[in-house]
Amino acid sequence: MNLTLRIWRQSGPDDKGRMVSYQVPDVSPDMSFLEMLDVLNDRLTLDGEEPVAFDHDCREGICGACGMVINGVAHGPERATTACQLHMRHFRDGQTIDIEPWRARAFPVVKDLVVDRSAFDRIIAAGGYITAPTGAAPEAHAQLVRKSDADAAFESAACIGCGACVAACPNGSAMLFTAAKVSHLSLLPQGQPERSTRVVGMVDAHDGAGFGGCTNIGECTAVCPKGIPLTSIGRLNRDYLRATRDRDGAPGT
């Protein structure tokens, strides 16, 4: 295939960015999207031009590093697929493809398609842990967990922290990410000691990082490569209301 790529180029956080067009010939439909960008960068390097900066790591769809908006959709046109697992057979010969970084106040652009996602780290640091004794692992059957709770915990734990939910949300909210990180711990017995402080601390860190509020539009779940459901945000809201009610000593507590 012969493709035209319109890529966001920005030298640094304080520089003005712009879309730049590149022609990429002879693209194999079996290439991944990132392999196609590698081909472009090899050519730019040989021509003495600055290659396009983009994040990547495992290229197996599990690290969450390869975030980018492809033709207006976070991670591209295929549902439940990261950009590194998106293959060029999903595009057509002669197509023009727009490639942009995540757009959110809390994700400032570092360079080209690379954004600073350290706000996610601060949310995790505010409560994404459990109190656990050191030593040998406990017997697996020593503490029973309901099947429904275990399934929901595993579902939330699948979040890879890529930030697609933020990029897709018109409010720039990271509530789906925060809810997933709160839920997978709060559903299990090991997560109960910090359950109240966890949800309050992580939501406060979310708001302090400059993410917007959730208005249940649902775009976050539509682009999530791991299919984290909107119900996880409802679970977070219930935990948050319960924790703040108990903390503030509301009548009836």
Side-chain angles (χ1 to χ4, degrees), residues 25-232:
D26 300 325
V27 174
S28 168
D30 296 324
M31 285 181 178
S32 74
F33 200 84
L34 298 194
E35 287 172 336
M36 181 271 298
L37 290 178
D38 289 337
V39 170
L40 170 64
N41 278 345
D42 286 345
R43 198 188 75 189
L44 291 176
T45 300
L46 290 173
D47 291 343
E49 299 182 44
E50 184 75 16
V52 177
F54 62 94
D55 274 328
H56 62 96
D57 191 1
C58 73
R59 299 201 178 199
E60 295 179 351
I62 57 176
C63 74
C66 61
M68 60 186 70
V69 176
I70 302 169
N71 282 346
V73 180
H75 286 304
E78 290 298 297
R79 291 182 67 90
T81 304
T82 54
C84 64
Q85 293 295 292
L86 177 67
H87 287 82
M88 300 312 298
R89 58 179 169 266
H90 298 295
F91 301 90
R92 64 181 186 277
D93 183 36
Q95 186 171 356
T96 297
I97 304 173
D98 289 346
I99 310 172
E100 302 171 82
W102 291 161
R103 303 282 190 183
R105 178 186 303 174
F107 286 165
V109 174
V110 176
K111 184 177 182 180
D112 296 339
L113 305 177
V114 179
V115 299
D116 181 357
R117 284 179 280 193
S118 60
F120 274 5
D121 298 329
R122 295 194 292 275
I123 293 174
I124 294 295
Y129 50 82
I130 62 171
T131 298
T134 58
E139 166 59 38
H141 299 297
Q143 201 162 20
L144 297 179
V145 179
R146 289 189 304 177
K147 179 67 162 56
S148 59
D149 288 344
D151 289 345
F154 275 116
E155 186 176 57
S156 293
C159 172
I160 57 176
C162 64
C165 51
V166 180
C169 178
N171 304 326
S173 175
M175 270 301 170
L176 190 68
F177 165 82
T178 306
K181 298 305 179 183
V182 167
S183 290
H184 88 267
L185 295 176
S186 66
L187 286 163
L188 299 176
Q190 297 89 339
Q192 299 312 305
E194 293 89 13
R195 184 168 183 169
S196 294
T197 55
R198 174 185 302 114
V199 66
V200 172
M202 294 179 77
V203 170
D204 287 350
H206 169 281
D207 295 345
F211 293 108
C214 174
T215 52
N216 292 320
I217 292 172
E219 288 296 318
C220 53
T221 60
V223 300
C224 177
K226 298 304 175 181
I228 308 299
L230 204 60
T231 52
S232 61

